[in-house]
RNA sequence: GCGGGCGUGGUGAAAUUGGCAGACACGCUAGACUUAGGAUCUAGUGUCGUGAGACGUGUGGGUUCAAGUCCCUCCGCCCGCACCA
């Protein structure tokens, strides 16, 4: 497979080729990196197939959206980290799948089309080519034969197919709900895409808009999305953020009499029901309009409802004090004690959570307390403790003023209160979630068409599987409109379809899917990317799944990461994938900031372009610097000066080759340094402590630099250890050492703990915990010898003079502490 | 408010998980080689002190022969969620 021509850069033999290199003393990274990238590609060095004789390892990084700006220095932090891990695993004999692709649907391409008229498919293609060129120039070990593109019909055919599965199982449904509408992007957003009441993408303030939307019932999976986290090796902050986002709370639903109707509330503290002094409905609650004619103050009520409707969620949450209006004319009755209590509407009660109505316990909830103070309502303490003349008492205490609950603690009180409600038919225990169903419609062009048609007679119907993929039609222009109609509504004939059920006329859905759709299952497609019969074969899924290690940004924790776990679980329930979770291990990298600690952005003009760095210092230096920049999981500041330090190091490694003497045998000291380094680097890569893995390589190189001549074995080990970080340089020097194999296919060196052991150790000697000197003793010295050596130090003698030695603590190979 | 995390030199950071604090690198200082240097090499570099030495991991306390590491107190910073009943 290897052609000497490719390997030896056009020269007939290794000897001839080597001669040319001997003339070149400078580290010519341009030449080296280009050469090895060409050879890897020609030899398909990173191509991977199912091989049941080998243990598989599936490494995954989040595939990029191919923006016009190209790669920034943040992408390669994640990609290099898993490239290092993948390369090491490969050398350790694993069958490694490390794929790359493009999450290619999205708004920027569409906005660009609106501005320039260039079809999104055209600009996306150009951007993907640019990204591919950049990624290849960094020398990642991706299997490019598996590259996927979510905007290609061969791919989104299966995204649409899966949507139909959601529909068939009743998890995709159309509903008219108040959604988050971004007036700037003119598109509806999922809850997860709203940050502080603003559009995650453009920052415009989100407003409420009632629209018919496709929804996917992710809430049905809420409990499993929490409980199944237990068995996963996810970093803690990812787990806790997901749990937090899903927001499970246990409590009860209680029915209060409201006129001759029933008003149901959700509460996490039914045991405080004897402290209820009033109730509050969200202004949007259905009872407000339903009983408007029976209220004594309808004008006042309607005015408040209208005022609230005008406010954004952000404004609503920024209220300084509590506002509201009493619903005069109808009272409620507390089912626990029969008390008649007033009912209010207030915007501090949210329509989307629980039942949109609450029982207010002002003594033990600060919000209710504030409202009660503002409206002069009674405050009844039912838990002992605190000082409710000042503020609500929100901690736990024994029940008081609570009839049969008196004296009970929280746990018993809860149980007793719910039992009583159940027995008397006015309540039941209930679990509530903050998580909402997934708003799945986007009023946009550049996304997957939703494969549904509407028939007047039969309602919404999925198109037959034989018609997939339902490809995007051409449209005269890409503008969305203010009414929230997708550009696809201008697609003319495309809109007309036949109802698959009755054969009558039907109209196509014109909304498209959110950009999270394609990325929700892309890791499955990598297993079998060219399959045109299935989204992936059972054989491929059985062999490759799960993803063993997934690295990506924290910003996707409650978006992509949650969506894709849910999507995968759904496919599992359908019997389509073998596992219930997609990712075994999830880690996350810190952001890379500009030199002054600011975020890199086009507007600040502080963006570092990887192309420039690679051109000036080479891909190997760039890769190594990204790994050395700081702890992988923390934010890091870019520094040109630190980059220079890494460049110097790479040059040093290159220069050491001149000292290699193949006739020389390594000394025991040499071997000790080598094995120490092997053990350190191996261990630190596994733990993602890349910065310290690099520093131990530096320490080793400093050791080798101090020698006149270097035994070949020592340099070879260095090259192997460096090959995951600086693959081009390692490959080059490996060839110059006279090898005609690829170092990336060589085996990873094995560290020998016994050989790494020092036979003479330096031990610290303390007197009463204070450092007074060091002793050098053989590693296996007896306790007596160590004590004798320690007590023999001049400095120690001086310190203990005239004092009685009470105790000597000896920790072998570490420390001696003389207590006097 | 709730949840997660952090605090170590001039700077980025290490510390085998309770055992010589500051590895590695940047920067700086001095010197060498240079026509020159964002090049290279050598030495130094936590603070105070000529020195022996003393002090030193945000604050104050505790456990221990021994604490950056464990426990308690307070202060400060970052991230996520946030009127979620």
């Amino acid at each position: 497979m290897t052609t000497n021509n490719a390997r030896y850069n056009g020269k007939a033999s290794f000897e001839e080729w080597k001669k040319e290199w001997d003339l070149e003393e400078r580290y010519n990274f341009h030449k080296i990196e280009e050469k090895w990238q060409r050879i890897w590609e020609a030899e398909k060095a990173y191509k991977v197939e199912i091989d049941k004789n080998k243990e598989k390892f599936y490494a995954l990084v989040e595939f990029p959206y191919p923006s016009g700006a190209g790669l920034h220095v943040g992408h390669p932090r994640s990609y290099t980290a898993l490239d290092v891990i993948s390369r090491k695993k490969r050398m350790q004999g694993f069958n490694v799948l490390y794929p790359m692709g493009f999450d290619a649907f999205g708004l920027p391409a569409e906005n660009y089309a609106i501005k320039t008229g260039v079809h999104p498919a055209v600009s996306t293609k150009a951007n993907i080519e640019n990204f591919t060129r950049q990624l290849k120039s960094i020398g990642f070990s991706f299997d490019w034969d598996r590259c996927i593109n979510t905007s290609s019909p061969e791919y989104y055919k299966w995204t649409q197919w899966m949507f139909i599965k959601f529909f068939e199982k009743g998890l995709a449904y159309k509903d008219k709900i108040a959604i988050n509408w971004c007036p700037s992007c003119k598109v509806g957003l999922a809850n997860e895409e709203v940050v502080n009441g603003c559009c995650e993408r453009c920052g415009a303030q989100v407003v409420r808009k009632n629209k018919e939307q496709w929804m996917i019932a992710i809430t049905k999976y809420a409990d499993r999305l929490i409980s199944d986290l237990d068995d996963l090796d996810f970093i803690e902050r990812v787990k806790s953020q997901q749990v937090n986002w899903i927001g499970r709370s246990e409590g009860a639903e209680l029915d209060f009499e409201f006129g001759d109707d029933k008003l149901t509330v959700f509460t996490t503290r039914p045991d405080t029901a004897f402290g209820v002094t009033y109730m509050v409905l969200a202004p949007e609650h259905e009872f407000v309009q339903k009983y408007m004619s029976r209220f004594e103050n309808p004008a006042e009520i309607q005015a408040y409802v209208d005022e609230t409707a005008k406010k954004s969620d952000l404004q609503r949450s920024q209220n300084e004090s509590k506002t509201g209006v009493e619903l005069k004319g109808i009272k409620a009755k507390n089912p626990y004690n029969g008390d008649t209590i007033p009912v209010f509407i207030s915007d501090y009660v949210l329509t989307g959570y629980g039942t949109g109505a609450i029982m207010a316990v002002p003594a033990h909830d600060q919000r209710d307390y504030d409202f009660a103070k503002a409206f002069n309502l009674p405050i009844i303490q039912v838990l002992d403790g605190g000082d409710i003349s000042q503020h609500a008492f929100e901690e736990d205490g024994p029940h008081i003023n609570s009839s049969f609950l008196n004296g009970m603690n929280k746990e018993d009180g809860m149980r007793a209160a719910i039992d009583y409600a159940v027995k008397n038919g006015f309540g039941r225990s209930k679990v509530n979630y903050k998580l909402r169903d997934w708003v799945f419609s986007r009023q946009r062009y550049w996304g997957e068409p939703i494969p549904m048609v509407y028939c007047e007679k039969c309602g919404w119907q999925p198109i037959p599987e034989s018609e997939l993929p339902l490809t995007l039609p051409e449209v005269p222009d890409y503008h969305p409109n203010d009414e929230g109609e997708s550009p696809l509504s201008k697609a003319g004939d495309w809109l007309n379809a036949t109802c698959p059920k009755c054969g009558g006329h039907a109209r196509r859905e014109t909304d498209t899917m959110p950009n999270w759709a394609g990325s929700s299952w892309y890791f499955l497609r990598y297993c079998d990317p060219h399959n045109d019969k299935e989204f992936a074969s059972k054989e491929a899924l059985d062999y490759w799944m799960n993803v063993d290690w997934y690295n990506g940004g924290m910003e996707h924790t409650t978006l992509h990461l949650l969506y894709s776990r849910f999507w995968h679980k759904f496919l599992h329930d359908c019997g389509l994938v073998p596992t219930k979770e997609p990712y075994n291990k999830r880690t996350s990298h810190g952001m890379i900031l500009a030199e002054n600690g600011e975020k890199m952005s086009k507007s600040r003009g502080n963006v570092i372009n990887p192309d420039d760095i690679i051109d000036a210092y080479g891909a190997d230096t760039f890769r190594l610097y990204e790994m050395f920049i700081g702890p992988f999981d923390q934010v890091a500041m870019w520094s040109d000066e630190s980059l220079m330090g890494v460049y110097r190091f790479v040059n040093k490694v290159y220069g050491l080759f001149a000292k290699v003497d193949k006739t020389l045998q390594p000394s025991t000291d040499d071997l000790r340094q080598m094995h120490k380094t092997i053990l350190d680097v191996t261990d630190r890569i596994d733990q993602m402590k890349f910065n310290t893995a690099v520093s131990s390589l530096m320490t080793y190189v400093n050791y080798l630099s101090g020698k006149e001549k270097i035994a070949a074995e020592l340099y070879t080990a260095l090259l192997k250890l460096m090959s995951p970080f600086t693959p081009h340089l390692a490959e080059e020097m490996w060839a110059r050492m006279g090898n005609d194999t690829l170092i990336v296919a060589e085996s990873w060196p094995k560290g020998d703990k016994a050989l790494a052991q020092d036979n003479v150790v330096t031990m610290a000697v303390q007197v009463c915990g204070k450092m007074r000197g060091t002793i050098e003793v053989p590693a296996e010295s007896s306790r007596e010898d160590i004590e004798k050596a320690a007590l023999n130090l001049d400095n120690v003698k001086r310190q203990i003079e005239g004092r009685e030695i009470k105790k000597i603590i000896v920790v072998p190979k570490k420390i001696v502490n003389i207590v006097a």
Side-chain angles (χ1 to χ4, degrees), chain A residues 14-66:
Chain A
F14 173 71
E15 291 308 319
E16 196 185 330
W17 171 79
K18 191 168 180 294
K19 219 181 286 169
E20 181 194 321
W21 278 103
D22 288 343
L23 298 174
E24 180 120 30
E25 286 182 22
R26 261 189 58 251
Y27 165 49
N28 188 340
F29 53 82
H30 280 125
K31 209 163 155 184
I32 294 171
E33 291 175 358
E34 197 195 320
K35 179 175 98 187
W36 289 104
Q37 282 165 18
R38 205 171 53 230
I39 292 172
W40 291 329
E41 188 147 355
E43 300 195 9
K44 293 201 178 287
Y46 308 116
K47 188 172 174 57
V48 65
E49 294 293 352
I50 292 174
D51 178 350
K52 288 184 175 147
N53 296 316
K54 277 169 110 181
E55 195 178 337
K56 67 94 184 177
F57 185 82
Y58 186 175
L60 185 66
V61 286
E62 285 166 355
F63 62 163
Y65 173 77

Side-chain angles (χ1 to χ4, degrees), chain A residues 346-358:
Chain A
S346 173
D347 63 4
Y348 85 92
V349 174
L350 307 173
T351 178
Y353 185 77
T355 61
I358 62 155

Side-chain angles (χ1 to χ4, degrees), chain A residues 294-468:
Chain A
R294 286 171 54 186
F295 296 137
E296 290 163 9
N297 53 343
E300 193 189 1
I301 293 168
Q302 190 58 47
Y304 188 81
V305 169
D306 292 345
E307 196 188 317
T308 309
K310 267 186 273 169
K311 286 189 192 165
S312 68
D313 279 0
L314 186 62
Q315 288 169 319
R316 262 175 92 154
S317 69
Q318 278 170 345
N319 272 352
E320 295 271 309
S321 53
K322 299 278 181 280
T323 61
V325 174
E326 185 177 352
L327 302 176
K328 290 183 182 149
I330 305 182
K331 298 271 184 203
K333 196 169 125 193
N334 185 338
Y336 281 91
N337 57 12
D339 282 1
T340 299
I341 50 176
V343 182
F344 292 78
I345 57 171
S346 173
D347 63 4
Y348 85 92
V349 174
L350 307 173
T351 178
Y353 185 77
T355 61
I358 62 155
M359 60 177 218
V361 186
H364 305 289
D365 182 298
Q366 192 58 44
R367 295 157 303 178
D368 296 345
Y369 187 91
D370 293 342
F371 189 88
K373 283 283 178 197
F375 287 80
N376 243 327
L377 294 157
I379 298 172
I380 300 172
Q381 183 161 14
V382 290
L383 298 171
D384 199 19
D387 175 8
I388 65 156
S389 67
Q390 296 305 309
H391 48 78
F393 175 62
E394 295 186 317
E395 284 145 66
D396 287 329
H399 288 82
I400 53 171
N401 302 327
S402 295
S403 172
F404 63 92
L405 298 176
N406 282 340
M408 289 186 186
N409 63 17
K410 178 180 173 182
E411 201 187 329
D412 294 338
M414 288 278 284
R415 201 177 313 117
I418 294 173
D419 285 351
Y420 182 82
V422 170
K423 216 173 288 165
N424 292 281
F426 67 82
R428 60 233 136 244
S429 57
K430 166 87 183 170
V431 175
N432 241 309
Y433 302 93
K434 284 198 249 181
L435 183 72
R436 308 275 73 132
D437 273 347
W438 183 3
V439 178
F440 205 69
S441 296
R442 296 293 181 278
Q443 298 71 41
R444 280 290 175 162
Y445 175 76
W446 193 232
E448 300 88 347
I450 294 174
M452 301 292 295
V453 297
Y454 185 74
C455 168
E456 289 292 341
K457 224 161 63 194
C458 314
W460 283 105
Q461 297 294 326
I463 66 171
E465 200 176 315
S466 60
E467 287 177 25
L468 294 178

Side-chain angles (χ1 to χ4, degrees), chain A residues 480-636:
Chain A
N481 65 22
D482 291 329
E483 283 71 56
E485 270 185 326
S486 160
L488 289 189
S489 59
K490 300 167 194 159
D493 270 357
W494 181 85
L495 298 171
N496 298 314
T498 310
C499 173
K501 200 167 174 191
C502 71
H505 178 259
R507 194 180 157 83
R508 288 195 195 283
E509 171 62 59
T510 58
D511 284 350
T512 52
M513 298 188 201
N515 59 327
W516 311 108
S519 59
S520 289
W521 68 279
Y522 75 117
F523 48 90
L524 299 171
R525 188 63 176 170
Y526 281 140
C527 298
D528 193 8
H530 307 297
N531 194 330
D532 59 1
K533 305 279 184 298
E534 306 161 275
F535 66 88
S537 72
K538 187 176 181 312
E539 188 202 10
L541 294 172
D542 283 343
Y543 181 76
W544 289 116
M545 288 301 288
N546 283 349
V547 172
D548 291 285
W549 195 329
Y550 191 19
N551 187 76
M554 280 307 288
E555 70 274 19
H556 289 132
T557 302
T558 52
L559 290 159
H560 158 68
L561 198 68
L562 194 62
Y563 293 146
S564 58
R565 286 184 59 221
F566 156 63
W567 194 293
H568 188 84
K569 283 181 176 301
F570 169 72
L571 294 179
H572 179 60
D573 288 351
C574 297
L576 296 166
V577 294
T579 57
K580 64 177 186 174
E581 284 280 343
Y583 320 119
N584 291 342
K585 182 182 174 97
R586 168 75 177 191
T587 54
S588 204
H589 55 279
M591 243 198 316
I592 293 186
L593 305 174
E595 208 137 359
N596 56 7
E598 285 181 338
K599 236 173 138 165
M600 286 189 194
S601 71
K602 246 192 277 177
S603 55
R604 289 198 182 90
N606 56 5
V607 176
I608 307 258
N609 183 345
D611 286 345
D612 298 340
I613 305 298
I614 290 163
D615 192 50
Y617 303 100
D620 283 334
T621 297
F622 178 57
R623 294 169 58 105
L624 195 63
Y625 175 60
E626 291 243 347
M627 294 298 93
F628 187 60
I629 193 166
F632 182 68
D633 57 349
Q634 283 167 40
V635 293

